[in-house]
C-alpha cells in the first residue's frame, strides 16, 4: 500500500518528518545515559563486544529480509492492476493467501522448533527467491501462487527469526536483560526497511511504471539470494534433539495447560489482526468522500511513528520511566484500542485522522518488543516458535472471515471492522491484566 500514483494534494508538513526523525534520534542517543542502574547493568560498560557483533549480524539480515518482504507488498492494489486483476480477483487472491497462512502457517512454528530455526529461515529465503523469479519472468495467473508462497513466508518471518535469535543469544551466554535491545531494534529496523522499500519502489515506478513491478521482483530475488547466503554462511543453528513425542508432551504441559500463555496468545492474536486490518483499510478510510491526499507521503509518517514507539520501549522497561512489562502492555493496548475506536466512530479531518493513525502505530511499536519480552519470560525457548504460530491462528481466521464477508459479500463496513479490531485490543488489555494476576498467584504458589 506504499506506492500510490496521484496528481495533486494534501501532504504532511516537513516539520512532522523532522519531528519524528529528531524524536527517534534523541530517544536512541540519550537513553543509555538515563539507564536505570537498579534495574539493569549499565548498557555501555558491561556489554561485551561479542554481543554487539552478534546483534549487528542478526539485525542486518533481519533488515534485508524485511526489505525483501516490503518489495513484494509495497505496491498493493497497483500490482494487482498491473497483472489485470479485478476487485473480486484481488480479494480472492488475498483470501487464498490468508487461508494458506492459516492452515500451513499454523504448523510451521512446530516444524521450526523441531527441525531448527535456521532451516526455517532458509525456507523463508527460498520462498521469496521463488516468488521473485516467478514474478520477474511470468505474469497472470501466477500472482495467486505468489500470494500463497508469500503468506507462508510471512508466517515464517513472524516466528522463526525471533526464535532463532533468542536461542542463539542464550546459547552464547549473553545476559537476558540485553534481549530487550534486540527486540526493539527488530521493530525499528523492520519499519525503517519498509520505508526504504517504498522509496525504492517509488523511484523505479517513476522511471518506468510499466516494468516497475517486474523489476522490483527481480531485485527482491537478488536480495533473497544475499539473505540465503548470509544465513547459510554466518548463522549457527543446532538441530533440537527433542523427539516429536517429547515435544508434544512438553507443549501440552507448558503451553496448552498454562492459562497465562493462552492470555498472551490472545493478546498477540489481537495485535496481529488489528495491524493487518489497519494496513488494508488505512488508505480507503483516509481518502473517504473523495479526499485527495498524497498517501505515499503519509505511509513513511505512519512507519516513523511505529519506529518512535519501538525506541520508547527500553525507556519504560530498563530506563528512567521504568514500569512492569504487564503494566506497559495494558496501557499500550488500551491506548491503541481507543485510537481505533476513534477511527471507527466516523468521518474525521485529515490531520486528526493521521495523528490518530500515528498514535495507534506508536502503540504497536511499543507493544511488539514488550510481547517478545513476555514470551521470553513465560515460554521455553524450545517451544517459542510453536507458541507464536499458535497465536496467529485466531488472527488469520478472523482476517479470512473479514475478507470473505467484506471483500466478496460486502456485509461489513470499514468502520465496523475497525470497531471489531478496537474491541479485540480491549480484550487483549484485559488478558494482560489477568496474566499479571495469574503470574503473581503462580509465584506465590511456588513459594509455599
Amino acid at each position: 500500500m506504499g506506492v500510490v500514483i496521484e496528481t495533486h494534494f494534501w501532504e504532511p508538513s516537513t516539520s512532522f518528518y523532522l519531528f519524528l526523525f529528531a524524536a527517534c534520534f534523541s530517544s536512541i542517543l540519550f537513553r543509555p545515559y538515563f539507564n536505570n542502574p537498579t534495574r539493569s547493568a549499565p548498557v555501555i560498560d558491561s556489554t561485551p563486544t561479542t554481543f554487539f557483533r552478534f546483534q549487528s549480524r542478526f539485525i542486518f539480515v533481519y533488515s534485508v529480509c524485511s526489505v525483501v518482504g516490503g518489495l513484494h507488498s509495497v505496491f498493493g492494489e497497483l500490482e494487482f492492476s498491473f497483472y489485470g486483476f479485478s476487485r473480486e480477483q484481488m480479494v480472492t487472491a488475498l483470501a487464498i493467501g490468508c487461508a494458506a497462512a492459516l492452515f500451513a502457517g499454523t504448523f510451521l512454528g512446530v516444524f521450526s522448533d523441531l527441525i531448527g530455526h535456521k532451516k526455517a529461515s532458509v525456507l523463508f529465503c527460498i520462498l521469496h527467491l521463488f516468488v521473485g523469479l516467478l514474478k520477474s519472468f511470468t505474469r497472470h495467473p501466477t500472482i495467486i501462487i505468489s500470494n500463497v508462497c508469500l503468506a507462508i513466508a510471512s508466517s515464517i518471518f513472524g516466528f522463526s527469526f525471533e526464535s532463532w535469535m533468542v536461542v542463539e543469544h542464550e546459547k552464547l551466554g549473553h545476559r537476558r536483560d540485553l534481549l530487550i535491545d534486540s527486540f526493539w531494534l527488530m521493530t525499528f529496523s523492520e519499519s525503517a526497511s519498509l520505508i526504504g522499500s517504498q522509496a525504492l519502489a517509488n523511484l523505479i515506478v517513476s522511471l518506468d511504471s510499466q516494468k516497475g513491478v517486474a523489476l522490483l521482483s527481480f531485485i527482491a530475488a537478488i536480495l533473497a539470494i544475499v539473505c540465503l547466503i548470509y544465513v547459510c554462511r554466518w548463522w549457527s543453528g543446532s538441530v533440537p534433539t527433542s523427539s516429536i513425542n517429547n515435544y508434544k508432551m512438553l507443549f501440552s504441559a507448558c503451553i496448552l495447560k498454562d492459562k497465562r500463555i493462552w492470555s498472551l496468545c490472545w493478546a498477540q492474536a489481537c495485535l496481529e489482526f488489528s495491524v493487518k486490518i489497519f494496513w488494508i483499510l488505512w488508505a480507503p478510510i483516509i481518502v473517504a468522500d473523495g479526499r485527495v491526499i498524497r498517501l505515499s507521503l503519509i505511509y513513511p509518517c505512519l512507519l516513523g511513528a511505529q519506529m518512535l514507539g519501538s525506541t520508547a520501549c527500553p525507556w519504560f522497561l530498563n530506563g528512567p520511566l521504568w514500569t512492569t512489562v504487564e503494566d506497559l502492555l495494558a496501557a499500550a493496548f488500551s491506548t491503541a484500542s481507543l485510537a481505533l475506536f476513534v477511527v471507527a466512530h466516523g468521518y474525521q479531518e485529515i490531520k486528526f485522522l493521521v495523528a490518530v493513525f500515528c498514535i495507534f502505530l506508536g502503540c504497536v511499536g511499543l507493544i511488539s518488543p514488550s510481547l517478545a519480552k513476555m514470551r521470553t519470560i513465560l515460554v521455553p525457548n524450545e517451544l517459542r516458535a510453536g507458541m507464536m504460530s499458535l497465536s496467529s491462528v485466531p488472527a488469520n481466521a478472523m482476517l479470512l472471515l473479514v475478507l470473505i464477508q467484506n471483500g466478496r459479500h460486502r456485509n461489513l463496513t470499514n468502520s465496523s471492522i475497525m470497531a471489531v479490531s478496537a474491541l479485540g485490543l480491549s480484550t487483549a488489555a484485559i488478558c494482560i491484566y489477568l496474566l499479571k494476576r495469574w503470574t503473581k498467584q503462580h509465584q506465590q504458589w511456588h513459594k509455599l
Side-chain angles (χ1 to χ4, degrees):
M1 301 299 291
V3 175
V4 180
I5 310 254
E6 309 115 333
T7 55
H8 179 75
F9 330 68
W10 187 91
E11 59 187 50
S13 64
T14 305
S15 59
F16 188 57
Y17 294 104
L18 294 176
F19 166 76
L20 288 175
F21 174 79
C24 289
F25 180 78
S26 300
S27 180
I28 296 172
L29 179 64
F30 295 112
R31 201 270 298 180
Y33 299 99
F34 292 93
N35 198 55
N36 191 337
T38 64
R39 295 295 174 183
S40 62
V43 173
I44 297 177
D45 295 338
S46 63
T47 303
T49 56
T50 54
F51 168 73
F52 288 120
R53 190 181 304 116
F54 163 76
Q55 186 185 68
S56 61
R57 286 180 174 180
F58 171 74
I59 294 300
F60 169 77
V61 71
Y62 188 82
S63 299
V64 177
C65 289
S66 298
V67 172
V68 173
L71 291 177
H72 279 139
S73 61
V74 70
F75 279 110
E77 294 182 6
L78 182 62
E79 181 179 11
F80 287 110
S81 301
F82 176 79
Y83 287 105
F85 271 51
S86 65
R87 184 182 185 279
E88 289 71 19
Q89 289 175 317
M90 294 180 191
V91 174
T92 299
L94 290 174
I96 291 174
C98 184
L102 175 61
F103 296 107
T106 302
F107 304 102
L108 284 174
V110 175
F111 290 144
S112 180
D113 284 330
L114 290 173
I115 69 175
H117 306 304
K118 179 178 179 178
K119 292 182 179 179
S121 301
V122 168
L123 177 59
F124 166 87
C125 298
I126 292 174
L127 286 172
H128 273 288
L129 175 60
F130 171 74
V131 172
L133 295 176
L134 191 65
K135 287 184 178 181
S136 299
F137 301 110
T138 59
R139 292 192 65 177
H140 178 86
T142 54
I143 192 68
I144 296 180
I145 300 174
S146 300
N147 267 25
V148 171
C149 293
L150 291 177
I152 295 174
S154 179
S155 297
I156 295 174
F157 185 77
F159 57 75
S160 182
F161 285 84
E162 178 188 310
S163 299
W164 174 86
M165 186 272 293
V166 172
V167 170
E168 289 299 304
H169 179 99
E170 298 200 356
K171 188 170 71 174
L172 293 173
H174 300 308
R175 301 199 318 267
R176 176 170 280 198
D177 63 288
L178 293 174
L179 276 171
I180 188 60
D181 287 324
S182 297
F183 291 148
W184 76 259
L185 277 172
M186 288 171 63
T187 303
F188 182 90
S189 61
E190 182 181 4
S191 302
S193 298
L194 292 176
I195 295 176
S197 300
Q198 186 218 18
L200 179 60
N202 282 329
L203 175 63
I204 292 178
V205 166
S206 65
L207 297 176
D208 192 336
S209 59
Q210 293 299 319
K211 298 180 180 179
V213 174
L215 181 57
L216 271 186
S217 297
F218 183 74
I219 294 174
I222 298 298
L223 292 177
I225 293 175
V226 173
C227 293
L228 184 61
I229 295 173
Y230 195 89
V231 168
C232 292
R233 183 173 180 179
W234 294 107
W235 281 23
S236 62
S238 56
V239 178
T241 57
S242 177
S243 65
I244 295 178
N245 290 332
N246 290 338
Y247 184 89
K248 288 170 60 178
M249 290 188 294
L250 188 62
F251 195 88
S252 176
C254 297
I255 304 296
L256 299 181
K257 295 183 180 180
D258 192 337
K259 56 187 178 182
R260 296 175 300 164
I261 295 182
W262 277 105
S263 297
L264 187 61
C265 284
W266 179 252
Q268 178 67 40
C270 292
L271 177 69
E272 288 187 22
F273 174 72
S274 64
V275 169
K276 290 177 179 178
I277 286 296
F278 175 83
W279 286 120
I280 292 174
L281 296 182
W282 78 273
I285 288 175
I286 209 169
V287 297
D289 299 333
R291 293 186 289 201
V292 183
I293 306 167
R294 294 189 68 90
L295 295 177
S296 55
L297 295 181
I298 295 178
Y299 182 77
C301 289
L302 302 180
L303 288 173
Q306 184 167 301
M307 293 167 64
L308 180 58
S310 68
T311 64
C313 188
W315 284 80
F316 288 100
L317 298 183
N318 281 339
L321 304 177
W322 185 86
T323 184
T324 63
V325 63
E326 295 94 341
D327 290 339
L328 178 61
L329 280 170
F333 271 119
S334 300
T335 305
S337 174
L338 180 60
L340 290 190
F341 270 126
V342 171
V343 174
H345 179 68
Y347 182 88
Q348 307 289 347
E349 291 296 328
I350 295 175
K351 292 182 179 180
F352 180 76
L353 196 57
V354 172
V356 173
F357 284 170
C358 288
I359 291 173
F360 168 74
L361 287 175
C363 291
V364 171
L366 197 61
I367 291 170
S368 296
S370 301
L371 284 176
K373 181 173 182 177
M374 284 301 303
R375 286 191 288 270
T376 304
I377 296 173
L378 296 177
V379 182
N381 287 342
E382 57 270 26
L383 305 176
R384 191 183 188 101
M387 175 267 176
M388 293 177 70
S389 62
L390 176 66
S391 66
S392 297
V393 173
N396 289 325
M398 284 295 296
L399 181 61
L400 181 60
L401 179 63
V402 167
L403 289 173
I404 294 174
Q405 291 296 319
N406 188 47
R408 297 193 64 85
H409 304 300
R410 302 176 186 268
N411 292 333
L412 300 173
T413 64
N414 292 344
S415 295
S416 62
I417 296 172
M418 280 292 185
V420 170
S421 300
L423 182 61
L425 292 174
S426 298
T427 63
I430 296 173
C431 285
I432 294 298
Y433 171 76
L434 294 175
L435 186 153
K436 182 179 181 180
R437 287 186 56 188
W438 291 332
T439 300
K440 288 183 178 180
Q441 294 174 0
H442 184 79
Q443 293 172 346
Q444 292 173 355
W445 183 81
H446 277 281
K447 290 180 180 179
L448 297 177

